[in-house]
């Protein structure tokens, strides 16, 4: 799909716009989360909205849809996620704002035991059309308990779907798909993208869950990015191009289901693969892709598969340490050069 | 309160069906026809019956690992339940869930959930649906005394209360969670004492007496239906068997205690009540017993004669629009 | 109760140090010298001071994202705290934790935990240690009104109660969780009403008055130390600033409300009390103010002049016996 | 280490023996969990012990050590795990019985945000000498919510250690190491091993966490097993040997830290790798090992790396479906043959 509309808006605004359009279209959609309006229950004091969501991602919704469809919650993630699952089982399409991805910890059971399994263990009787959107990632000095990435863990769980938009355009298309999807979908938003601007059509549109994109074609090696790291791959690609190397960039978009065909096809062409992920290295999406490729495209591989990830450590607070923690386009370029020097 | 004969017979038949279903199931389990854990609710039949007597198809319940009684009281077909526990493709969940995951969404039975406490918020969510739809259906969250100490219960009660949702939290306090007695594990004297902290009414009642359950549940459900919000109903009850089929309860409780409760058997008690107050119903008890026995024998036959599902079932139902294996 | 001058001066100095520390920190934060979120407790100083006045080094506390006051009241060095928030290697956590993870295990300060409610069971565990050791140290779990609706709090209170552990649950009810008012999010009228459901005493007190906090905490801690088990102390208080530095609280609360609380400022109130009842202490308030200002300026200097840690710090402390990267 | 003592005992009894010996040796060790004694607080009725733990894995401990060191808990996994972390931070060595691995869901936050991160985010001031032992795996008809495997997820988390014994001998050595270790260690016990017998020395001994074993040497390919699947690999190896193929079997034992050197060395010798894991396929230990090998031993690989795992589905109840869900020695043999036929 090509973007014909050239209106530039922020990631944040694309999120609000998507929610607004879908809530207008479908009366069974409602949003629930901590401070998504804020100041709840104080209409008598002239306060209907305060925060409009952490980072303002739900700003203005309550004015349009009222407090029963834009529902502030107590700090009870397990309870309100379970409540959302119950509502999804009985005909609604709840959208949950999970403030930070770290908080999957306190509602993990509802995710893995109920949202993911109910349909299966009850023989396909039920569906759970639930969307969760959440913020993740380091780089903001929020330290170990507010910077974590758990999308690899979530992708491990059969029954869950997981997507990671990489810009305002993909956010809107994937969020609308997620809300319309009949399975639980987690839409993971890198904090570092929230102020990014990009071209976004103003009408509602969807991008299929389970399909990756190729924002840059090339033939010398494949760089796979996830969300923000796709931007890093594109940055690194510029440097590499100036050195005469032509990388292809795959923007994964969907982690579960995984569009392995797009990755495999690319590697069959380029014969080399570097996966860039801000998640920690063990048992994550990067290892997953490496494992699939060495299984299914072994004969096309000319070099080891490299992974650029965070180290196996929690996220540190101090700036120099956190800077070093993160993947960067420099690291991608360095690893790529090492890989090509094997020739 | 004077009850209609129809209600009396429904209560009787429902309790009896549960009892008979489980006693027969245990026989089959001891022959190795079932797998995993079977958690009999024998002794506790008064609670599901007394509560669900107030419910229509459009009302919802969520249930626990000890859920046969809830399913039966909510109208789930015993053939499909039995076949499910035999793992057959004709089971209500195609044999994929077994005893601890029986559900029937067509009947508002949102499922027995095996993680202790985890079914409770599902009922809260169903109640939220009713509120959003502005209809008058209510939801029941059944849970055990052990579940009372799970955080999710606390969160669910708070949510239901602040949003005034039409849900009744029904605690089946059978006084044990596995081998652990409630008085050890739970700091409250009565579990219903906790209701006050959520600004909702709480009652503790005799859960061996189906009429007591019926009356109290009527009040709680009536409140919910009328838009007056949630409440907590603790029913003191007792399971005659161990935690699961195969567990010997005499390792953690005394024979005398067991006998004391057996003397208060909910079905026998109710037969006495019928004899006194509903002689017409009492007169038909033999017929009902026979009907029930026949229906359960049929269920057993149905389960035996049904086939296992094809291996492809393994990959189905993971997602709505694609099977687990097509794309990883 | 008549307090010693020493205690009075300690309370005063502790509140003042917290106030001064945070006001100076906010200045630096607005210059961009800190990262992430800073959650000022300005306005709430009476609670940590009034509670920790009863504690020795051998007692434990667990704390929240709004934890500077708890740390200072438990004796954590302000230089090391400030350096931590600047991300420097001389910080109490080597700059790896920042404002929301300050801890000092040498002083029984088990750490500020950023996940709401998640610090509470740590204090219960420390209390279990004391019980196993059969000594008389006590533990305090500080938490906010928002945390009151997390399941882990419920589980922790139940555990502490059934095991009669020496722990006091101190709720700093500053009436907001982020922008959400407590009366919306919490079904109980007073959070302390929930104590009864755990068979423990609960009190709601004026948390703007350090002497009221001191008195009530004395009772609760005394009970715990004497082996009489846990209790819940709710302190009604107020934060003057937004949820975090940068948040404008006027989007969710009224100016009049803010002003009302500022009039009850815990430090000003206490100065008035001192003037009336402890004139000798009152007389030394200027000296103390100067001491405090000097110590905080020193802390700022210390933070500025300290170096960042080496990059190898990134890989340390993941495990006790090996760094994260050596072996995956 | 060779086993000189030939006393044969069950896995279950090795577990009880290890706990007993360590509790005798170290007064700071205590055990806590649901029904680990059972019948708690009923001493006045003549009841001190009932269950002795699910599957009887803590049977008899309360008689020896009393209820304060063998502590029955309510069903509050998050609460009592957090309590154990608090006790660990203040000088004790708690051992937690987490009845089924599925229940990591309800205590996940305490695991990932506290147990795993406190040491790091507090600059190394603290240590968390906590042991969790738990039961996992399908094969018993316990359906979707009581058969799950989450050790891949746990291995993803920096700060946690994860081990999976494969027989009574490795259980005892690893459990004692886990209890003495100053970091949080999760000891994962496959239900299918609980009645297995094997030679176990009667004295206390430790096996190092982070080291794998090679129970069978060979040169034609490497089979990597985890816990019970090591037994499947050994079974498959017998069949393969009868066909003239000499597989080497690596028994992983430790998932985090991972003994990648042992795997790499084996693959450098055999040039072929099959990993057998009962966990589901996405983002797990099997993908992890494949990714490490294709990165660090690429030049030694003669064939694709194959993974024999459960499918990407929850665990079904019915016997034929569950049988098909599980890895088996037949599947290993089949995959191995396919791999060798590539020659
Ligand atoms: C979170 C969780 N912890 C532990 C278990 C294991 N378990 C299953 S049933 C049960 C006891 C439940 O007791 P209660 O809630 O009183 O229900 P009852 O069995 O008495 O009906 C336990 C501990 C579980 N399924 N889920
Ligand atoms: C489990 C969890 N959910 C949400 C958050 C985000 N958050 C951080 S502080 C906070 C408000 C806490 O309110 P309260 O407990 O009243 O403490 P206060 O900030 O008022 O001191 C929230 C929602 C979090 N850190 N952890
Ligand atoms: Mg019970
Ligand atoms: Mg607050």
């Amino acid at each position: 799909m090509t973007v014909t509309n050239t209106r530039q808006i922020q990631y944040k605004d694309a999120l609000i716009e998507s929610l607004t359009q879908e809530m207008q279209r479908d009366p069974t959609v409602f949003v629930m989360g901590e401070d998504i309006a804020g100041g709840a229950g104080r209409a008598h004091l002239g306060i209907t909205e305060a925060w409009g969501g952490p980072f303002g991602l739900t700003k203005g919704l309550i004015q349009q849809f009222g407090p029963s469809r834009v529902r502030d919650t107590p700090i009870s993630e397990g309870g309100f996620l379970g409540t959302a699952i119950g509502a999804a089982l009985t005909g609604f399409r709840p959208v949950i704002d999970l403030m930070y991805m770290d908080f999957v910890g306190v509602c993990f059971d509802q995710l893995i035991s109920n949202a993911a399994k109910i349909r299966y263990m009850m023989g396909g009787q039920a569906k759970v059309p639930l969307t969760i959107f959440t913020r993740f990632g380091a780089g903001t000095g929020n330290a170990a308990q507010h910077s974590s990435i758990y999308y690899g863990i979530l992708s491990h769980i059969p029954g869950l779907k997981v997507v990671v938009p990489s810009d305002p355009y993909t956010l809107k298309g994937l969020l609308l798909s997620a809300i319309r999807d009949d399975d639980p979908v987690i839409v993971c938003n890198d904090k570092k993208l929230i102020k990014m601007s990009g071209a976004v059509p103003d009408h509602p549109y969807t991008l299929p869950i389970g399909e990756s994109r190729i924002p840059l074609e090339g033939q010398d090696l494949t760089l796979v990015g996830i969300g923000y790291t796709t931007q890093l791959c594109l940055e690194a690609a510029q440097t590499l191009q100036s050195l005469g190397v032509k990388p292809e960039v795959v923007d994964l978009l969907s982690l579960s289901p995984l569009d392995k065909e797009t990755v495999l096809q690319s590697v069959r062409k380029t014969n080399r693969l570097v996966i860039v992920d801000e998640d920690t290295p063990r048992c994550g999406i990067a290892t997953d892709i490496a494992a699939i490729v060495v299984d299914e495209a072994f004969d096309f591989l000319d070099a080891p598969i490299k992974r650029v990830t965070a180290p196996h450590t929690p996220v540190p607070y101090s700036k120099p340490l956190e800077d070093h923690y993160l993947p960067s386009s420099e690291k991608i370029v360095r690893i790529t050069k090492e890989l090509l020097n094997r020739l | 309160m004077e009850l209609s004969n129809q209600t009396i017979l429904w209560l009787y038949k429902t309790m009896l069906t549960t009892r008979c279903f489980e006693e027969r199931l245990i026989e089959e389990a001891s022959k190795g026809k079932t797998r995993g854990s079977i958690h009999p609710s024998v002794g506790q039949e008064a609670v599901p019956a007394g509560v669900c007597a107030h419910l229509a198809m459009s009302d919802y319940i969520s249930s626990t690992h000890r859920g046969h009684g809830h399913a039966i009281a909510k109208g789930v077909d015993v053939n499909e339940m039995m076949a499910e526990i035999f793992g057959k493709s004709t089971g209500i969940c195609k044999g994929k869930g077994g005893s601890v995951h029986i559900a029937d969404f067509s009947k508002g039975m949102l499922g027995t959930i095996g993680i202790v406490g985890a079914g409770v918020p599902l009922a809260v969510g169903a109640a939220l649906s009713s509120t959003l739809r502005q209809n008058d259906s209510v939801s029941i969250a059944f849970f055990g005394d052990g579940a009372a100490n799970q955080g999710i219960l606390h969160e669910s009660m708070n949510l239901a209360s602040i949003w005034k949702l039409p849900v009744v939290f029904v605690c089946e306090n059978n006084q044990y969670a596995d081998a652990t007695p409630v008085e050890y594990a739970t700091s409250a004297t009565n579990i219903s004492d906790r209701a006050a902290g959520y600004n909702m009414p709480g009652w503790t009642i005799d859960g061996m007496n189906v009429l007591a359950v019926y009356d109290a549940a009527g009040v709680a459900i009536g409140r919910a239906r009328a838009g007056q919000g949630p409440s907590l109903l603790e029913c003191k009850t007792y399971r005659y068997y161990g935690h699961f089929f195969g567990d010997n309860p005499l390792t953690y409780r005394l024979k005398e205690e067991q006998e004391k409760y057996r003397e208060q058997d909910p079905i026998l008690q109710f037969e006495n009540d019928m004899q006194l107050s509903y002689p017409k119903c009492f007169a038909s008890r033999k017929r009902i017993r026979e009907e029930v026995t026949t229906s359960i024998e049929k269920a057993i036959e149905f389960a035996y004669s049904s086939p296992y599902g094809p291996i492809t079932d393994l990959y189905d139902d993971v997602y709505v629009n694609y099977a687990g294996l097509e794309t990883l």
Side-chain angles (χ1 to χ4, degrees), chain B residues 44 66 144-146 172-178 239:
Chain B
Q44 305 186 187
R66 201 175 305 287
D145 51 290
E172 298 181 304
N173 180 355
N174 63 8
Q175 307 176 50
Y176 294 87
D178 294 352
R239 57 166 157 79

Short mmCIF file of all heavy atoms in Angstrom, two decimals, chain B residues 44 66 144-146 172-178 239, ligand 3:
data_model
loop_
_atom_site.label_atom_id
_atom_site.label_comp_id
_atom_site.label_asym_id
_atom_site.label_seq_id
_atom_site.Cartn_x
_atom_site.Cartn_y
_atom_site.Cartn_z
N GLN B 44 -21.77 -29.99 48.03
CA GLN B 44 -21.90 -28.55 47.82
C GLN B 44 -23.05 -28.18 46.88
O GLN B 44 -23.16 -27.02 46.48
CB GLN B 44 -20.59 -27.98 47.25
CG GLN B 44 -19.37 -28.28 48.07
CD GLN B 44 -18.09 -27.59 47.60
OE1 GLN B 44 -17.04 -27.88 48.13
NE2 GLN B 44 -18.18 -26.70 46.63
N ARG B 66 -13.84 -26.52 40.43
CA ARG B 66 -14.89 -27.38 40.99
C ARG B 66 -16.22 -26.93 40.40
O ARG B 66 -17.11 -26.48 41.12
CB ARG B 66 -14.87 -27.27 42.52
CG ARG B 66 -15.54 -28.45 43.26
CD ARG B 66 -15.39 -28.36 44.77
NE ARG B 66 -14.01 -28.24 45.20
CZ ARG B 66 -13.11 -29.23 45.18
NH1 ARG B 66 -13.46 -30.43 44.77
NH2 ARG B 66 -11.85 -29.00 45.56
N GLY B 144 -13.82 -20.09 45.53
CA GLY B 144 -13.68 -20.84 46.77
C GLY B 144 -13.08 -20.00 47.89
O GLY B 144 -12.66 -18.87 47.69
N ASP B 145 -13.05 -20.58 49.06
CA ASP B 145 -12.44 -19.88 50.20
C ASP B 145 -10.95 -19.66 49.94
O ASP B 145 -10.38 -18.65 50.36
CB ASP B 145 -12.64 -20.68 51.49
CG ASP B 145 -12.22 -22.14 51.34
OD1 ASP B 145 -12.93 -22.88 50.62
OD2 ASP B 145 -11.19 -22.54 51.91
N GLY B 146 -10.32 -20.58 49.24
CA GLY B 146 -8.90 -20.40 48.94
C GLY B 146 -8.67 -19.21 48.02
O GLY B 146 -7.72 -18.45 48.19
N GLU B 172 -17.92 -20.03 47.74
CA GLU B 172 -18.26 -21.36 48.25
C GLU B 172 -17.19 -21.74 49.25
O GLU B 172 -16.15 -22.27 48.90
CB GLU B 172 -18.29 -22.36 47.09
CG GLU B 172 -19.36 -22.00 46.06
CD GLU B 172 -19.44 -22.99 44.92
OE1 GLU B 172 -18.41 -23.21 44.26
OE2 GLU B 172 -20.53 -23.52 44.67
N ASN B 173 -17.46 -21.40 50.49
CA ASN B 173 -16.49 -21.69 51.54
C ASN B 173 -16.70 -23.12 52.02
O ASN B 173 -17.48 -23.37 52.93
CB ASN B 173 -16.65 -20.68 52.68
CG ASN B 173 -15.66 -20.95 53.79
OD1 ASN B 173 -14.92 -21.94 53.75
ND2 ASN B 173 -15.63 -20.08 54.78
N ASN B 174 -15.96 -24.03 51.39
CA ASN B 174 -16.05 -25.43 51.82
C ASN B 174 -14.96 -25.74 52.83
O ASN B 174 -14.67 -26.89 53.12
CB ASN B 174 -15.99 -26.37 50.60
CG ASN B 174 -14.68 -26.25 49.87
OD1 ASN B 174 -13.74 -25.59 50.34
ND2 ASN B 174 -14.57 -26.90 48.73
N GLN B 175 -14.36 -24.67 53.33
CA GLN B 175 -13.48 -24.73 54.50
C GLN B 175 -12.09 -25.30 54.26
O GLN B 175 -11.28 -25.36 55.19
CB GLN B 175 -14.20 -25.42 55.66
CG GLN B 175 -15.55 -24.73 55.88
CD GLN B 175 -16.41 -25.36 56.93
OE1 GLN B 175 -15.92 -25.60 58.03
NE2 GLN B 175 -17.66 -25.62 56.60
N TYR B 176 -11.83 -25.68 53.04
CA TYR B 176 -10.49 -26.14 52.70
C TYR B 176 -10.09 -25.66 51.33
O TYR B 176 -10.93 -25.59 50.42
CB TYR B 176 -10.42 -27.69 52.71
CG TYR B 176 -10.64 -28.25 54.08
CD1 TYR B 176 -11.94 -28.51 54.52
CD2 TYR B 176 -9.59 -28.47 54.95
CE1 TYR B 176 -12.17 -28.97 55.81
CE2 TYR B 176 -9.81 -28.93 56.24
CZ TYR B 176 -11.10 -29.18 56.66
OH TYR B 176 -11.32 -29.62 57.93
N ALA B 177 -8.82 -25.34 51.19
CA ALA B 177 -8.22 -25.13 49.88
C ALA B 177 -7.16 -26.22 49.81
O ALA B 177 -6.19 -26.20 50.57
CB ALA B 177 -7.59 -23.75 49.78
N ASP B 178 -7.37 -27.18 48.94
CA ASP B 178 -6.56 -28.41 49.01
C ASP B 178 -6.65 -28.94 50.44
O ASP B 178 -7.75 -29.17 50.94
CB ASP B 178 -5.10 -28.16 48.62
CG ASP B 178 -4.91 -27.77 47.16
OD1 ASP B 178 -5.86 -27.82 46.39
OD2 ASP B 178 -3.77 -27.42 46.81
N ARG B 239 -17.21 -30.22 51.10
CA ARG B 239 -17.11 -31.25 50.06
C ARG B 239 -16.87 -32.59 50.75
O ARG B 239 -16.03 -32.70 51.63
CB ARG B 239 -15.99 -30.92 49.06
CG ARG B 239 -14.60 -30.72 49.63
CD ARG B 239 -13.52 -30.75 48.56
NE ARG B 239 -12.30 -30.06 48.95
CZ ARG B 239 -11.35 -30.55 49.75
NH1 ARG B 239 -11.49 -31.74 50.31
NH2 ARG B 239 -10.26 -29.85 50.03
MG1 LIG E 3 -12.33 -24.42 49.44
#
